[in-house]
Amino acid sequence: MTLLDDTRRSESFRSMGTQVTVYGPAGRAFARSLPEIVALFEAEERRFSRFRGDSELAELNRRAGSWTAISEVFEEVLRCALAGAARSGGTFDPSVLGAVIDSGYDRDFDEVLAGARGVLHPSTPCARWREIEVRPGWVLLPPGVGLDLGGLVKGWTADRATDLALGRGLPWVLVSAGGDQRIAGSAPVVEIPIEDPERPDRIVTSLRIDRGAIASSSTAKRTWGSGLHHVIDPRTGAPAETDAVQVTVWAPTCAEAEILATWALISGVAAAEQIPAAIVGVDGAVTLSFAPGSEGSAA
């Protein structure tokens, strides 16, 4: 990623299983913002991690079948997830945790890569997000349903981090968290390279934006065997079979971009007709639907 401006500062840290980098103008406002952004990511990782037994998410999943009290933040993210499921017709589905575990992603990804995973189980359709009931401060998960909000939470937290930085006086800020980038304020143009999913050293195209958010999803990353990856098709409960290998989408916020990226990857190359995206197909062809002069442009 290249910021087409040379008056900036950047700092990186690890959170949510990825590297997070904050970019902004050098100065006191940046220095004041950074510790608060780090603390924000740490707090939301503690709240939403499915790998921590003491997280709010883990407690809710354990109590499936019973009404459970939830925090305002958790309710906000969950309502965002359910709205995304409705908008995508269930292609994005927060209720796929059981299918993710059955496919082999049952612990931290570094451990999965090391071979420390349980036995694979047959796939069964999930798609039970419509059965989730939410009332102010409370949620009822149907028995046997578990939530996986990881990608959405990462994007949502990047959005909150940019709001925090602007509130501390930064004229612009960019927060990059794995495949998510959110840029806000009076920002310079950002050039984002799109890597070949099969050859990360090769750039197939690049995108330029000065506002909004980018999110990416791929069947070639977070994979642990032939046909085994983390993107679950709710209709089958199995890792998605699609004619797209990698998608990068634009949206006003990272949370929305995360939803659209999952939707586009499962839907395949044809999703470019509906979603501002750069999609790499299984044949290596790149389909672009970014509109120059609007939300983004292809370089």
Side-chain angles (χ1 to χ4, degrees):
M1 179 175 61
T2 302
L3 280 164
L4 304 184
D5 178 275
D6 59 4
T7 308
R8 61 181 174 86
R9 181 180 169 186
S10 65
E11 294 287 348
S12 299
F13 57 94
R14 291 285 299 180
S15 186
M16 300 184 180
T18 193
Q19 176 169 290
V20 180
T21 303
V22 182
Y23 300 85
R28 293 181 180 178
F30 186 95
R32 286 195 304 266
S33 301
L34 187 65
E36 294 183 70
I37 291 175
V38 173
L40 173 66
F41 270 89
E42 290 176 347
E44 302 314 331
E45 183 172 21
R46 288 194 300 270
R47 189 193 313 272
F48 288 103
S49 174
R50 69 180 178 92
F51 305 115
R52 295 177 57 117
D54 61 348
S55 72
E56 187 174 351
L57 177 69
E59 175 65 15
L60 174 60
N61 286 337
R62 281 194 295 268
R63 290 178 57 82
S66 302
W67 281 98
T68 304
I70 55 174
S71 64
E72 290 184 9
V73 168
F74 199 104
E75 182 178 340
E76 180 180 340
V77 173
L78 178 55
R79 288 187 183 277
C80 177
L82 294 176
R87 178 183 177 186
S88 67
T91 305
F92 172 86
D93 185 347
S95 71
V96 297
L97 178 60
V100 172
I101 292 172
D102 287 348
S103 70
Y105 193 1
D106 55 356
R107 60 203 67 200
D108 183 88
F109 191 66
D110 289 340
E111 296 178 40
V112 172
L113 286 180
R117 66 169 184 263
V119 178
L120 303 184
H121 298 281
S123 301
T124 56
C126 25
R128 298 184 64 189
W129 59 273
R130 292 182 180 86
E131 301 174 44
I132 299 170
E133 297 184 53
V134 185
R135 298 174 183 168
W138 295 86
V139 64
L140 175 62
L141 297 184
V145 168
L147 297 177
D148 182 4
L149 300 170
L152 178 61
V153 166
K154 178 163 59 73
W156 180 90
T157 305
D159 292 331
R160 299 290 78 74
T162 59
D163 293 343
L164 187 158
L166 295 181
R168 296 295 179 270
L170 276 174
W172 65 269
V173 64
L174 187 151
V175 177
S176 173
D180 295 347
Q181 285 93 33
R182 172 69 191 276
I183 188 167
S186 302
V189 175
V190 181
E191 185 171 306
I192 300 173
I194 306 299
E195 299 173 348
D196 184 327
E198 305 298 337
R199 291 179 50 193
D201 59 330
R202 177 174 175 264
I203 304 303
V204 295
T205 189
S206 62
L207 307 173
R208 291 184 177 185
I209 63 169
D210 62 2
R211 62 193 180 279
I214 291 288
S216 297
S217 189
S218 173
T219 61
K221 297 180 180 178
R222 292 192 182 269
T223 178
W224 51 94
S226 178
L228 298 175
H229 55 79
H230 73 294
V231 183
I232 298 294
D233 186 335
R235 297 166 296 186
T236 64
E241 296 183 9
T242 168
D243 64 356
V245 178
Q246 176 179 281
V247 302
T248 301
V249 307
W250 181 94
T253 67
C254 268
E256 182 178 351
E258 276 282 349
I259 291 167
L260 294 180
T262 299
W263 182 2
L265 186 60
I266 294 173
S267 300
V269 173
E273 298 175 6
Q274 299 176 278
I275 297 169
I279 302 179
V280 182
V282 293
D283 59 358
V286 180
T287 301
L288 290 169
S289 57
F290 276 77
S294 58
E295 59 270 355
S297 64

